Amino acid sequence: MRVLASTRGLRLVLALLALALLYVAVVQVGTRLLGGWQIDLTRDHIYTLAPGTRAIARSPREPVQLTLYFSRHAARDLPQLRAYARRVQTLLREVARVSQGRVRLALVDPRPYSEAEDRALAAGLSALPVGPEGQRVIFGLVGTNATTGIADIPFLQPDKEAFLEYDVARLIHELVTRQRPLVGLISGLPVEGTPGSANAPGLPPWTAFQQLGQLFRVQPLDGRTLTAIPAAVRVLLLVQPDMLSAGAVQAIRAFLLRGGHLALFIDPDPETLPPARAMASAQASWRALQPLFAEWGVSFDPDRVVLDPTLARSVALQPGMVPAPDPAVLGLGRAELSHDDVITAGLRSINVSTIGSFEQTEHARLRLVPLLQSSGDAGSASVQRVLDTPDPQALLDNLRQARGRYVLAARLTGALAPGAQQADIVLVADTDLLSDRLWVQLLPFFGQTLTSPFANNGDFFLNVVDNLSGSSALISIRGRAVASRPFTRLRALRADAEQAFRERRLALQQQLDAAEQRLLEIEQARRAAGASISLHEAEYRAASEQQREIRSELRRIERDLDARILRLQWRIETLDIFLLPALIALFGLLLAAWRRWRGNTAT
C-alpha cells in the first residue's frame, strides 16, 4: 500500500509539473500567434474601438508619434488617477495596434526636474498640484507628425473619460490635416461687423466669429448668386440666411449629398435686427429653407417662440429698472444640455433669447437627436405677442404648454438618399445666442478689449464647427461608457441610511438655528442697554447649554451615520469580493472529500 501511495504521489507531482509547463507553453504560443486577437466581454464594449477611430488610426500617410506623459511616482497615492492612466494606456495601445504601424506610442514618466518634465512642459502640458501633499502631476498626451506638426491634450481628466476615444482620434486627425479647415459662411446678420462711415462708426465682428476666424479659415458666400459650394469647404455655416436663391438651395442640397457638413442657426425673432426687419428675416429664411426641412423630415414654426418659466432669466427691460424673470430669455443648465454628445457634454450653461424649436415629422428620413432642450414646464407663444407684451410675466397667461420638452437644438444624422454619404447637420433655433450680450462681457483695457465670458455660448458655437469640420469618421465617434463600475447596491443603501437620519438631523438643525438666534438677540439686547454682563446671565447660559447639547447630538448622529455606512460598505464589499471565491473553494473541498470517500469505499 505504501508503494502504491508513493507512486500516486509521484504521478500527481509529475502531472502538476506537466500542467504548469503546458500552461506556460500555451500562453507563449498564444501571445505570439494570437497577439492581435481580443474578446471584449464588457457590457458596453469599452475596450473595442469605434469604426471611426480605426479609420483615423490607419489614415496617416506618415508615422504619427504619440507620447503619453504620466507622473507615476507623484500619483502613487491617487488610486483613481492611476486606474484611469491604465485605461488611457490600454486605449492608446489598441490605437497603435490597429494602425498597423502608422501610430507609434511611447510612455514616459516625467520625474521632477528631469529632461522628460522639461519636454512635457515645453509641449504645452499642464503640471497640476493634485497630489495629497501638493505634488505636481503631469498627465497629458503629445502627438507629433513627421514634419513640424504638434498637438496635445494638456491634461487627461478622469471626468471626461466618456470622450477619451474622441479626443485621441481628434488629436491624430489634427496631425494628419495639414491646414486649417475651410468654413463657408452665409449670413443675413452683421456677424462680421459693419463698415463705418462719415456719419456713423462701424461695428466690430461678433466675438464668437472673431474666435472662429482664429481657428478656421472662413470664406463668406453670397446666397443670392451662389450656384455651387466650393469643393474645399468642409463646413457650411448658415446664420439666418434670409437671402437665399433657388440656385443656392440646390447647391446646399448637392453639398449635403456628397457628404458635406452643415450648421444652421435659424431664429423666429433675431433680436439683433429691428423688430419689423427681424420678422421679415425669419419668414424669408424659412421660405428659402422649407424644401430642405421637408426632405430632412423636420418641422420648424418661424412664428412661435418657446417660453419657459422654470429657466427664465432676470432681465432689466430698461436701464435703472429692477430685473425681473423673462420667460423668453432662458438660461439652459446641465439638465437641458445633452451629456451624450461631444458638442455639449463639457458645457455648463448657455443663454438663449426668443428661441424656436424643432420637431421630427412622422416619415423623417434623418434622425433628430436633441442637443439643447427646454424644461418640462415650457410652452410657446407667437412672436407678435412677445413683441407686444411689455410685461414679461404676462406672457405666461394662458400659456400653451407642450406635452414634453421642446427641442431647441439638435443633430441630424443619416443618409439623405439611397447610396448617398452620411450627412451630419446641426440645427439651432436661435441666433441671439451668438451675439455678445448673452454670453460675454467686453472690457476695455489700455486700448485693448478683454473678453470675460459668463456663459458657454461661444464654446458651444466653436464646438459645433470644430466637430463638423472633422472627417466623417471623427464625427461618427460619440461618447462612450466609462470603465468605472461602482457598487450601485452600496450607493442605494447609503442613500437609505442618510434618509433615515435626515429628518432627525433637520429637526436638530432647526433647533440649533433657533438657539443661536436667541443668543444673538440676548447679546444685542445687552449691548443696546449698556448693561452689565450679569444681566440675562441665566437665560444666556441656558441658551448656550442648549446649543452645546444640540451640537453634541448632531455630532453623535453624524458618527452613527458614518458607522452605519461603513458597516454596510464592509458587508457589501465582503460579499462581492470574498463570497464567490469562498463558494468555489467550498465546492472544491466538497468534491475532494467526495472523491476520497468514494476511493475508500471502493478499497
Side-chain angles (χ1 to χ4, degrees):
M1 290 295 293
R2 291 182 179 179
V3 175
L4 183 59
S6 177
T7 304
R8 287 181 177 177
L10 180 61
R11 288 179 179 178
L12 178 60
V13 172
L14 293 176
L16 291 175
L17 289 176
L19 287 175
L21 293 175
L22 180 61
Y23 172 78
V24 173
V26 169
V27 170
Q28 293 296 326
V29 173
T31 302
R32 293 179 179 275
L33 298 182
L34 305 176
W37 292 51
Q38 65 176 13
I39 300 176
D40 187 355
L41 299 179
T42 58
R43 183 181 64 182
D44 300 301
H45 301 288
I46 59 176
Y47 296 103
T48 301
L49 296 181
T53 306
R54 293 174 176 269
I56 291 175
R58 295 168 182 168
S59 64
R61 296 182 179 179
E62 299 175 348
V64 169
Q65 177 68 45
L66 298 181
T67 304
L68 177 65
Y69 291 91
F70 177 58
S71 303
R72 188 181 308 276
H73 181 73
R76 62 187 181 277
D77 297 325
L78 301 171
Q80 182 180 3
L81 192 62
R82 293 175 66 89
Y84 184 54
R86 290 193 293 270
R87 167 79 177 102
V88 173
Q89 292 174 19
T90 300
L91 183 137
L92 293 177
R93 288 193 178 101
E94 183 64 11
V95 169
R97 185 187 68 82
V98 303
S99 71
Q100 300 175 351
R102 296 178 177 87
V103 176
R104 301 169 182 173
L105 176 64
L107 305 177
V108 178
D109 182 2
R111 294 288 185 124
Y113 312 109
S114 64
E115 294 183 0
E117 183 185 55
D118 294 339
R119 289 195 301 269
L121 297 177
L125 301 189
S126 301
L128 302 183
V130 297
E133 300 178 358
Q135 305 100 315
R136 297 200 313 167
V137 174
I138 297 176
F139 185 26
L141 183 65
V142 177
T144 56
N145 57 23
T147 55
T148 58
I150 183 171
D152 66 83
I153 301 176
F155 197 89
L156 292 160
Q157 303 176 30
D159 58 355
K160 293 186 63 178
E161 180 181 357
F163 299 98
L164 171 64
E165 183 177 348
Y166 175 84
D167 290 337
V168 172
R170 181 180 177 275
L171 183 144
I172 298 173
H173 178 74
E174 184 178 344
L175 291 171
V176 174
T177 306
R178 298 185 178 275
Q179 61 179 353
R180 294 184 300 170
L182 180 63
V183 176
L185 172 63
I186 301 176
S187 177
L189 303 179
V191 297
E192 295 187 302
T194 57
S197 63
N199 299 325
L203 296 176
W206 295 3
T207 301
F209 286 84
Q210 293 182 31
Q211 296 177 349
L212 180 71
Q214 296 171 1
L215 300 176
F216 302 91
R217 295 179 296 142
V218 180
Q219 180 179 346
L221 303 173
D222 190 348
R224 294 167 295 187
T225 60
L226 186 68
T227 58
I229 307 298
V233 170
R234 186 77 59 81
V235 180
L236 182 60
L237 179 59
L238 304 182
V239 182
Q240 202 70 10
D242 53 8
M243 300 183 70
L244 280 180
S245 65
V249 173
Q250 184 60 34
I252 295 173
R253 181 183 290 108
F255 173 75
L256 294 174
L257 286 174
R258 70 170 187 253
H261 307 141
L262 172 67
L264 170 61
F265 292 77
I266 185 171
D267 197 334
D269 181 26
E271 298 178 19
T272 52
L273 299 176
R277 173 80 176 86
M279 295 183 66
S281 175
Q283 295 295 332
S285 299
W286 170 243
R287 283 195 302 270
L289 295 171
Q290 191 172 8
L292 295 178
F293 274 82
E295 295 177 6
W296 302 338
V298 177
S299 64
F300 172 80
D301 191 343
D303 189 48
R304 306 296 296 183
V305 170
V306 174
L307 305 178
D308 196 330
T310 302
L311 304 178
R313 294 211 48 163
S314 295
V315 177
L317 298 180
Q318 295 180 1
M321 292 184 62
V322 178
D326 188 344
V329 182
L330 312 181
L332 310 180
R334 288 185 178 272
E336 291 74 46
L337 276 61
S338 171
H339 299 281
D340 300 323
D341 198 291
V342 69
I343 291 177
T344 51
L347 306 183
R348 295 177 179 272
S349 65
I350 295 177
N351 296 330
V352 299
S353 182
T354 58
I355 192 170
S357 63
F358 304 105
E359 289 186 16
Q360 187 166 313
T361 59
E362 183 177 358
H363 302 290
R365 181 172 295 173
L366 303 181
R367 188 166 67 98
L368 186 76
V369 182
L371 295 176
L372 307 178
Q373 297 185 83
S374 69
S375 74
D377 300 326
S380 67
S382 67
V383 174
Q384 191 63 53
R385 182 165 182 258
V386 173
L387 295 176
D388 294 341
T389 305
D391 181 11
Q393 289 301 308
L395 293 172
L396 300 178
D397 297 339
N398 301 320
L399 182 64
R400 188 179 74 184
Q401 291 187 337
R403 296 180 180 177
R405 304 171 71 185
Y406 286 95
V407 178
L408 311 178
R411 186 194 288 269
L412 281 174
T413 59
L416 290 168
Q421 296 188 36
Q422 290 287 317
D424 210 294
I425 303 168
V426 172
L427 302 177
V428 183
D430 189 33
T431 60
D432 302 313
L433 66 87
L434 301 176
S435 63
D436 294 349
R437 69 181 181 89
L438 286 181
W439 72 278
V440 66
Q441 184 179 8
L442 303 180
L443 305 173
F445 182 77
F446 292 99
Q448 298 181 351
T449 301
L450 301 181
T451 58
S452 177
F454 53 85
N456 295 124
N457 296 32
D459 299 323
F460 171 73
F461 176 58
L462 293 179
N463 285 355
V464 168
V465 180
D466 182 58
N467 180 251
L468 295 179
S469 66
S471 65
S472 299
L474 183 63
I475 296 173
S476 68
I477 304 172
R478 299 288 185 252
R480 304 292 297 276
V482 298
S484 176
R485 291 292 182 268
F487 289 108
T488 55
R489 177 59 179 164
L490 176 61
R491 183 180 298 171
L493 291 175
R494 182 184 290 116
D496 293 340
E498 291 178 353
Q499 181 65 32
F501 286 93
R502 184 170 300 157
E503 294 182 2
R504 178 59 179 161
R505 186 166 49 188
L506 288 177
L508 287 173
Q509 186 62 48
Q510 292 176 357
Q511 296 178 20
L512 179 61
D513 294 341
E516 291 178 345
Q517 180 63 28
R518 183 55 184 158
L519 286 172
L520 181 61
E521 292 174 355
I522 294 173
E523 186 66 27
Q524 290 177 347
R526 288 163 54 179
R527 291 181 180 178
S532 63
I533 298 178
S534 60
L535 185 63
H536 303 295
E537 185 67 25
E539 188 177 3
Y540 188 87
R541 287 182 177 178
S544 299
E545 183 65 24
Q546 183 185 14
Q547 181 190 42
R548 285 193 292 270
E549 291 177 357
I550 294 175
R551 288 182 180 275
S552 177
E553 181 68 12
L554 282 172
R555 286 194 295 269
R556 186 188 65 79
I557 287 178
E558 293 295 336
R559 287 195 299 269
D560 292 345
L561 176 60
D562 291 340
R564 183 170 179 177
I565 290 175
L566 287 175
R567 287 196 298 270
L568 290 173
Q569 180 175 344
W570 182 84
R571 292 173 186 172
I572 296 297
E573 291 181 351
T574 300
L575 289 175
D576 281 351
I577 295 174
F578 297 109
L579 180 60
L580 184 59
L583 290 176
I584 295 175
L586 179 62
F587 176 77
L589 292 174
L590 292 175
L591 181 62
W594 177 77
R595 287 181 174 178
R596 178 174 296 180
W597 173 81
R598 185 179 179 184
N600 293 335
T601 303
T603 304

